[in-house]
Amino acid sequence: MAVALRALLRSAAGTALLPPPPRPLLGVRAYSAGAPFQYLSVQKTGAQQSVGLIQLNRPQALNALCDGLMEELSRALEAMESDPQVGAIVITGSQKAFAAGADIKEMQNKTFQECYSGGFLAGWDKVSTVRKPIIAAVNGYALGGGCELAMMCDIIYAGEKAQFGQPEILLGTIPGAGGTQRLTRAVGKSLAMEMVLTGDRISAAEAKEAGLVSKVFPVEKLLDAAIACAEKIASNSKLVAAMAKESVNAAFETTLAEGLRTEKRIFYATFATDDRKEGMTAFVEKRKANFTDS
């Protein structure tokens, strides 16, 4: 959630905070989701235009997660959720920062009453409720709310210079958008406690070793790798991918017995889909499956 953004900005004093213009991606098409975006760049990409690409674009604040940015992110995700062409989504930032935390200035003067009665940060959960698979492509800082945002995604790919952390303790508070819960489930109690209680960061290599990150790539190859993974996911049945995501998430949210029951129920449900029939038929006939459910 919160992060000592001023310190990060001071460390970059005298240098350009604006990242270099992103390299053009093959097949990228601008995405329309109502009103123009101020804090995001939203596109469809991939050979079949099957990947929704959301880039956080608030470089002057290292992509700090302000209310406006999170509202736009929810709107972009809703549009992609309802787009039958999109089979998977990639969320990324700049090479300098995925997101350096929540916007401290917006929360500095909030009171307990305002937070409690207004459900402060409740809207952030939108990312974790999207049914389509989401990949976080993390370069640079993923601290506080940025780390929490990455953990709301289904897969995390990291650039080799990425840094992850929950430094809220340094500001006299604790993570408030899932940091203490998702981080503990991802890396275990000891490392999560150390990160939350000290505010220390871990590197991309350490994050992979701990199980927080799936793969680490050179900085310049990260986004291509994330899009390639998203394209592979999108080439499968969109309906069954959503069902598989629900089943895996049950492993984190329920007991083993309940998770196994959920898995079996969803497994049986795939037998009611045209894509399950097509997939098995294609296998027997030794041809590529043509999935149509969305």
Side-chain angles (χ1 to χ4, degrees):
M1 190 186 65
V3 61
L5 195 54
R6 292 177 184 170
L8 292 176
L9 290 172
R10 280 198 299 269
S11 69
T15 64
L17 288 177
L18 292 175
R23 169 179 54 77
L25 296 168
L26 178 64
V28 164
R29 180 177 300 167
Y31 198 86
S32 176
F37 294 105
Q38 179 181 355
Y39 301 113
L40 305 177
S41 172
V42 183
Q43 304 164 324
K44 287 198 291 190
T45 189
Q48 304 299 321
Q49 296 289 292
S50 60
V51 177
L53 175 60
I54 301 174
Q55 183 172 20
L56 309 185
N57 187 28
R58 200 183 173 210
Q60 73 281 2
L62 296 177
N63 291 332
L65 304 175
C66 61
D67 288 342
L69 187 153
M70 295 307 294
E71 289 169 1
E72 289 187 359
L73 181 58
S74 293
R75 178 156 56 88
L77 289 171
E78 287 173 0
M80 290 179 176
E81 183 87 293
S82 62
D83 187 336
Q85 191 177 18
V86 173
I89 300 166
V90 174
I91 299 178
T92 192
S94 68
Q95 290 191 3
K96 189 174 186 65
F98 176 73
D103 193 311
I104 305 302
K105 292 181 180 178
E106 286 190 347
M107 67 174 67
Q108 180 180 4
N109 296 317
K110 283 188 178 293
T111 65
F112 164 76
Q113 289 86 345
E114 289 174 327
C115 291
Y116 188 86
S117 62
F120 184 45
L121 301 185
W124 287 34
D125 290 341
K126 174 65 181 178
V127 181
S128 62
T129 63
V130 173
R131 300 179 73 182
K132 293 180 179 179
I134 304 178
I135 301 171
V138 177
N139 267 322
Y141 301 119
L143 306 177
C147 186
E148 290 170 314
L149 175 60
M151 291 190 292
M152 291 179 200
C153 300
D154 303 302
I155 298 169
I156 302 178
Y157 278 8
E160 57 193 0
K161 295 182 180 180
Q163 298 182 38
F164 298 84
Q166 297 290 163
E168 289 84 353
I169 193 78
L170 305 178
L171 300 176
T173 187
I174 72 168
T180 63
Q181 304 302 301
R182 290 189 176 94
L183 185 63
T184 304
R185 285 164 169 77
V187 306
K189 178 183 176 181
S190 181
L191 181 55
M193 278 287 193
E194 181 181 9
M195 292 174 67
V196 170
L197 295 180
T198 66
D200 288 348
R201 309 169 191 171
I202 59 173
S203 67
E206 291 169 325
K208 184 180 185 302
E209 183 180 2
L212 180 63
V213 164
S214 296
K215 295 178 181 177
V216 177
F217 299 90
V219 170
E220 65 279 3
K221 295 183 178 180
L222 171 67
L223 188 55
D224 282 340
I227 291 172
C229 179
E231 283 193 278
K232 184 180 293 187
I233 292 170
S235 70
N236 296 318
S237 166
K238 297 177 179 63
L239 176 61
V240 176
M243 299 167 81
K245 174 175 174 173
E246 179 184 351
S247 187
V248 173
N249 280 335
F252 281 85
E253 298 165 1
T254 65
T255 64
L256 175 60
E258 182 59 34
L260 290 170
R261 284 192 290 270
T262 298
E263 179 188 75
K264 199 72 72 183
R265 172 179 57 80
I266 295 175
F267 169 67
Y268 293 156
T270 66
F271 282 75
T273 69
D274 292 337
D275 279 352
R276 192 283 314 168
K277 183 177 180 180
E278 165 63 14
M280 291 189 176
T281 300
F283 178 84
V284 171
E285 295 178 353
K286 295 181 171 57
R287 61 174 175 81
K288 182 177 175 63
N290 180 28
F291 297 121
T292 57
D293 284 337
S294 60

